[in-house]
Amino acid sequence: MSEAYAAPDPKELRDHQVDGPELTTRLARTWGTKRGLIGALSTVDHKIIGRRYIVTAFLFLFLGGLAAAAMRLQLARPESRLIGPDLYNQLFTMHGTTMMFLFAVPVMEAFAVYLVPLMLGTRNIAFPRLNAFSYYVYVFGGLMIWVAFMLNIGADVGWFAYVPLSGPEFSPGKRADIWAQMITFTEVSALAVAVEIVVTVPKQRAPGMTLDRIPLFVWSVFVTSFLIIFAMPAVMLASTFLILDRLIGTHIFNPAEGGDALLWQHLFWFFGHPEVYIIFLPATGMVSAIITTFSRRKTFGYLALVLSLIATGFLSFGLWVHHMFTTGLPQLGASFFTASSMMIAIPNGIQIFCWIATLWDGRPVFRTPLLFVLGFFFIFVAGGLSGIMLASVPLDTQVHDTYFVVAHFHYVLIGGAVFPLLGAVYYWYPKIVGRLMDERIGRWHFWLAFVGFNLAFFPMHITGLMGMPRRVYTYQHEMGWDNLNLLSSVGALVFFLSFVVFLWNVITSARKGAVAGDNPWQAGTLEWATSSPPPPQNFDRIPVVTNREPLWAERETLSVAAGLSVDNRELIVSTVSEARADLRESSPEPSVWPFIAAVATGITFIGSIFTPWAAVWGSLIVGVTLIAWFWPKGAKEDEK
Ligand code: HEM
Ligand SMILES: [Cu+2]
């Protein structure tokens, strides 16, 4: 954008020329968000967008949880007639799709959008308008699939939508079309956020934040963003092929016409396996942050942790075939993927070792965030063990598509991601809201969640070994699975109850919690160097970093960089490895066009479910909104 290159006005006010409250109010005016609906829709503040993102993702968790509750209610008794097979198919599809596409990935990106600029000591994320756009796209995509479900045209082909079942022959009607377009659509949003992070992390770090001083949470979302950039296009390609097969009669997945049904599975799992790590890696970043702060000690093995993140990222792409062991692949290939599936246990093991060493060596303070991390250890290790069992072809062949698998991946997903995430909410809530969450209710929440979770999912290992297949809406009394299923359902109920307690804590603490102050946990990283909640400009002056935990090293005397404009949105662009301040660049102003562009994109995608021409006309409209979005407002200044 041209305004970025406008020559600085020598008369303009810089931040070393004003001080104290005047500096704060002037910067807040420059970076603030306008009041009213238009202001809310055009904001580009990463904190406002991040907060919305987090809340929206938790709303989708609630919807996905409702679907799970309905399933568990149905499965509580044998031969139950509560829910028929058709609705059950929709329920597990909605549950899986919502949890994976609308909750787990977005919530991690949401935390990144909120935290990364604060942790890096900068004033906004790179491409703030794209950030706004991606949030709206995410909301519209999620709404689209849930509205379809309410209208009884919900997807019913599973979150993996295997062809030919999801193809035109076996899934007539609009259900699979809606699913396919929603996937492509929401992944646009995931990709956009990944791109923002991949640029923000190397280029916008506070002066002095060299590569080995980047907080581990930032490293984790940085690596994750690359996984998103490489993995998501595979599933977008797959869903686009699917809609082409369904809508305009191509035969990409149709073997009878020279297509290939297995291609779907390869594309889907090339995305689907890294997906697990897209969810899990940011969670490890959260774990590292919490462990370091609450054991009051520098993270043990920082370099080993960073390298494990990167190694996990690479390895996760070599594993997709273990989801396809029963499709009759060549023997040698299967052996290779077995070996690499087991190999991924190595970096995971290293991470766990470093965390335990940090705790061991420190003086751990057992507050709620740390409790959730300990719960994570326990559940995740159990999930890892059943995973190693599944990585072997003979066992996988036995328990393939049974509840053993359901048990395994809930251990990994909930233990590996949801527990750290809940810890992260307790940990960063005071920064975001300005008040602490209640500790006593937090403990209740943790124990209900921990007990409920294990009660719900541990018995599924056994029902699975006893042969209960997944994705069945009922079973017969003669099979002998009654008691275990009832136990699972009761456990699920307790688990849900824990979320009610959680919600209660979140809501009441916003008004009645203890006022947090800047740094209630005495943490070491930069997000705690500003007030809680942070002002629109994040920092009055950009900190200069000489240490991995700057707030531990020089508590009161953090030095600062000076020279940024007070009345224009300027931020520091730094060099990639040494993070030397390189140049000043202006960050885009608020604009309502990303919102309008998202609406136009949404209409295009919905239209294309009904006619391929919508893609053509829609693109034209989207093009117009993009022109308005990028229209150079700074042209006037250039002329000066
Ligand atoms: C709130 C507690 C949860 C309960 C009680 C629950 C329960 C279930 C059940 C019973 C199924 C099996 C459906 C079937 O095969 O018939 C299932 C499938 C699944 N769950 Fe969950 N779940 C929960 C949370 C989650 C979370 C947090 C995630 C992801 C982050 C998740 C991801 C999935 C996936 C991907 C499937 C596979 C869906 C499919 O086969 O299409 N679940 N869940
Ligand atoms: Cu996998």
Side-chain angles (χ1 to χ4, degrees), residues 445-631:
H445 171 204
F446 170 75
W447 284 108
L448 280 175
F450 187 76
V451 171
F453 168 82
N454 284 295
L455 210 57
F457 291 97
F458 191 80
M460 291 186 191
H461 290 106
I462 308 170
T463 34
L465 289 172
M466 288 167 77
M468 178 165 164
R470 61 194 285 206
R471 300 176 201 131
V472 288
Y473 79 103
T474 193
Y475 51 93
Q476 282 174 333
H477 169 68
E478 287 72 41
M479 308 303 288
W481 305 330
D482 300 12
N483 290 337
L484 289 168
N485 271 301
L486 186 60
L487 204 60
S488 281
S489 294
V490 171
L493 191 75
V494 176
F495 195 42
F496 291 131
L497 214 64
S498 77
F499 279 92
V500 176
V501 173
F502 173 60
L503 190 69
W504 173 257
N505 202 352
V506 167
I507 292 174
T508 53
S509 301
R511 286 186 39 240
K512 291 195 289 203
V515 174
D518 294 1
N519 190 1
W521 312 117
Q522 283 115 48
T525 40
L526 282 185
E527 78 271 30
W528 305 101
T530 181
S531 61
S532 314
Q537 69 273 25
N538 287 359
F539 303 91
D540 284 353
R541 293 207 176 87
I542 302 302
V544 174
V545 173
T546 53
N547 194 280
R548 192 175 298 147
E549 277 87 15
L551 300 190
W552 286 352
E554 35 191 332
R555 216 166 276 267
E556 303 301 330
T557 56
L558 216 63
S559 38
V560 289
L564 287 179
S565 170
V566 173
D567 300 319
N568 285 309
R569 295 180 168 232
E570 273 188 350
L571 39 81
I572 296 179
V573 174
S574 48
T575 59
V576 173
S577 71
E578 282 156 26
R580 263 181 290 107
D582 202 12
L583 37 107
R584 302 180 292 141
E585 189 168 76
S586 56
S587 181
E589 299 282 328
S591 160
V592 77
W593 285 103
F595 171 73
I596 298 173
V599 173
T601 320
I603 293 172
T604 307
F605 269 82
I606 294 173
S608 67
I609 294 169
F610 300 96
T611 157
W613 284 104
V616 178
W617 297 116
S619 304
L620 287 177
I621 304 174
V622 172
V624 172
T625 61
L626 290 185
I627 291 172
W629 170 343
F630 288 103
W631 198 258

Side-chain angles (χ1 to χ4, degrees), residues 68 88 92 95 99 159-160 403 409-410 457 470-471 495:
Y88 192 85
F92 77 66
H95 171 70
M99 289 304 190
W159 85 283
F160 42 82
Y403 263 80
F409 69 71
H410 283 91
F457 291 97
R470 61 194 285 206
R471 300 176 201 131
F495 195 42

Side-chain angles (χ1 to χ4, degrees), residues 269 272-274 276-277 316 319-323 341 408:
W269 289 117
H273 191 84
V276 175
Y277 290 90
S316 70
L319 306 188
W320 82 95
V321 175
H322 70 201
H323 296 268
S341 299
H408 158 69

Side-chain angles (χ1 to χ4, degrees), residues 299-494:
T299 325
F300 179 86
Y302 175 88
L303 186 64
L305 281 167
V306 173
L307 292 178
S308 315
L309 281 172
I310 296 171
T312 310
F314 273 107
L315 283 175
S316 70
F317 280 99
L319 306 188
W320 82 95
V321 175
H322 70 201
H323 296 268
M324 302 164 63
F325 278 161
T326 55
T327 54
L329 294 165
Q331 184 67 52
L332 183 67
S335 313
F336 171 81
F337 284 101
T338 301
S340 56
S341 299
M342 294 192 173
M343 233 154 73
I344 201 143
I346 299 171
N348 289 343
I350 293 176
Q351 286 175 307
I352 294 201
F353 172 77
C354 292
W355 290 323
I356 290 179
T358 312
L359 279 172
W360 205 268
D361 207 45
R363 286 168 282 127
V365 186
F366 289 94
R367 305 290 292 267
T368 312
L370 193 58
L371 275 186
F372 275 98
V373 166
L374 297 181
F376 148 81
F377 277 158
F378 182 85
I379 299 172
F380 185 70
V381 169
L385 292 180
S386 58
I388 292 180
M389 290 163 76
L390 284 175
S392 78
V393 178
L395 188 91
D396 185 57
T397 316
Q398 273 307 310
V399 298
H400 179 77
D401 271 345
T402 68
Y403 263 80
F404 188 88
V405 177
V406 178
H408 158 69
F409 69 71
H410 283 91
Y411 264 73
V412 174
L413 287 170
I414 297 183
V418 177
F419 271 72
L421 185 72
L422 293 171
V425 172
Y426 279 87
Y427 180 56
W428 279 298
Y429 183 94
K431 178 50 60 185
I432 299 174
V433 179
R435 287 171 189 271
L436 288 151
M437 283 175 78
D438 188 273
E439 191 64 23
R440 210 168 46 90
I441 307 180
R443 272 159 212 265
W444 272 100
H445 171 204
F446 170 75
W447 284 108
L448 280 175
F450 187 76
V451 171
F453 168 82
N454 284 295
L455 210 57
F457 291 97
F458 191 80
M460 291 186 191
H461 290 106
I462 308 170
T463 34
L465 289 172
M466 288 167 77
M468 178 165 164
R470 61 194 285 206
R471 300 176 201 131
V472 288
Y473 79 103
T474 193
Y475 51 93
Q476 282 174 333
H477 169 68
E478 287 72 41
M479 308 303 288
W481 305 330
D482 300 12
N483 290 337
L484 289 168
N485 271 301
L486 186 60
L487 204 60
S488 281
S489 294
V490 171
L493 191 75
V494 176

